[in-house]
């Protein structure tokens, strides 16, 4: 199984809502990532988890809160988002070793109204 | 905090022609990877070339790396309409952290 799954595929939320994005992989990868991608732009790294511990936080606002409950799951909790947070949110996973290929999920397209 | 710049930004070719995309980066790297993204979808890894390699092939793909010029190129031979997608180079810094920096991307359109 070389698939990374993400739910939901689409999400529309108001600025006062709380929602969560979910990501799952069963490849035994111990590194998982969240990226944000705006239209016609490259993905930008948000968070990296290594062995279920947060290892990189690229200065992401606190309205984004990641969680890694176990080695297969990665969540991104959203609260009090702004319209400019509307984007495609991509999850990826890889082996922990440096420079390993990352496997991406299909993404969650988020619209904040 | 993008590290790579790609050119051209957009490329339109006829089916059967070759497509070449270039990537330049700024700092020393461990390896350089190329990814493909169909519109609004996730990224798919195409090929990885390590800093001590100069050229690598995978099917219709040929990647070169020139670390002295901090540049790489991706050649797709005998293009097909299904190759229409955005192509990104990505580099891993020599910091030990497993974070990729993606280039600005090339949007390739292959006309049937």
């Amino acid at each position: 199984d070389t698939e990374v799954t993400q739910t939901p595929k689409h999400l529309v939320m108001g600025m006062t809502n709380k929602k969560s994005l979910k990501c799952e992989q069963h490849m035994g990868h111990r590194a998982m990532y969240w990226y944000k991608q705006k239209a016609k732009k490259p993905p930008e790294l948000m968070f990296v988890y290594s062995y279920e511990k947060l290892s990189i936080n690229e200065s992401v606002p606190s309205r984004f809160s990641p969680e890694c409950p176990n080695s297969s799951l990665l969540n991104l909790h959203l609260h009090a988002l702004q319209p400019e947070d509307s984007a495609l949110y991509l999850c990826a996973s890889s082996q922990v070793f440096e420079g390993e290929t990352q496997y991406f999920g299909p993404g969650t397209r988020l619209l904040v109204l | 905090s993008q590290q790579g710049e790609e050119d051209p930004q957009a490329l339109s070719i006829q089916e059967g022609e070759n497509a070449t995309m270039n990537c330049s980066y700024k700092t020393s790297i461990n390896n350089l990877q190329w990814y493909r993204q169909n519109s609004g979808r996730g990224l798919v890894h195409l090929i990885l070339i390590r800093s001590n390699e100069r050229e690598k092939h995978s099917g219709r793909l040929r990647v070169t790396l020139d670390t002295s010029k901090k540049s790489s190129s991706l050649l797709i031979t005998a293009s097909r309409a299904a190759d229409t997608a955005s192509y990104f180079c990505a580099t891993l810094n020599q910091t030990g952290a497993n974070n990729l920096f993606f280039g600005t991307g090339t949007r390739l359109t292959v006309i049937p």
Side-chain angles (χ1 to χ4, degrees):
Chain A
D1 183 1
T2 58
E3 190 179 22
V4 176
T5 59
Q6 289 187 244
T7 56
K9 290 184 179 178
H10 301 275
L11 179 63
V12 180
M13 60 186 290
M15 290 188 285
T16 59
N17 293 158
K18 286 185 181 181
K19 297 287 185 182
S20 296
L21 309 184
K22 297 185 184 299
C23 174
E24 188 168 7
Q25 56 88 15
H26 294 286
M27 294 178 277
H29 292 163
R30 301 303 295 275
M32 296 186 76
Y33 313 79
W34 280 115
Y35 290 86
K36 174 182 177 180
Q37 186 178 26
K38 302 285 276 185
K40 298 185 179 181
K41 297 289 187 181
E44 292 188 351
L45 184 68
M46 299 174 72
F47 302 105
V48 180
Y49 272 83
S50 181
Y51 296 107
E52 296 87 69
K53 293 192 188 312
L54 184 65
S55 60
I56 294 176
N57 176 342
E58 289 287 343
S59 302
V60 178
S62 60
R63 58 185 183 269
F64 295 91
S65 175
E67 178 197 19
C68 190
N70 61 54
S71 60
S72 299
L73 295 174
L74 184 66
N75 298 323
L76 186 62
H77 302 297
L78 313 173
H79 173 56
L81 294 193
Q82 303 296 312
E84 59 264 30
D85 296 322
S86 298
L88 181 68
Y89 288 84
L90 295 162
C91 172
S93 71
S94 76
Q95 299 288 355
V96 172
F97 312 112
E98 290 179 26
E100 290 295 317
T101 296
Q102 295 187 15
Y103 293 82
F104 283 80
T108 293
R109 186 158 300 281
L110 173 67
L111 178 61
V112 181
L113 300 177
Chain B
S1 56
Q2 297 151 211
Q3 174 158 285
E5 296 288 331
E6 292 182 57
D7 78 273
Q9 289 188 347
L11 179 61
S12 185
I13 60 174
Q14 295 290 330
E15 201 165 31
E17 294 181 339
N18 295 343
T20 299
M21 290 157 266
N22 303 296
C23 168
S24 61
Y25 56 92
K26 297 174 183 174
T27 63
S28 297
I29 59 171
N30 283 326
N31 66 48
L32 186 142
Q33 304 179 33
W34 284 89
Y35 287 81
R36 164 200 167 121
Q37 184 178 34
N38 283 34
S39 182
R41 305 286 300 276
L43 282 80
V44 175
H45 180 262
L46 295 176
I47 196 165
L48 181 153
I49 186 165
R50 302 196 183 279
S51 58
N52 61 353
E53 297 177 307
R54 291 296 168 258
E55 188 171 314
K56 202 162 184 179
H57 297 255
S58 177
R60 293 184 296 113
L61 305 180
R62 172 177 171 253
V63 169
T64 62
L65 179 65
D66 186 335
T67 52
S68 66
K69 295 181 180 179
K70 292 186 169 58
S71 68
S72 174
S73 67
L74 171 67
L75 169 66
I76 303 174
T77 60
S79 63
R80 305 167 182 168
D83 294 329
T84 295
S86 293
Y87 292 83
F88 295 94
C89 64
T91 54
L92 178 72
N93 282 350
Q94 287 185 332
T95 61
N98 205 16
N99 48 324
L100 290 178
F101 290 95
F102 285 88
T104 49
T106 293
R107 174 69 190 171
L108 174 66
T109 301
V110 181
I111 303 167

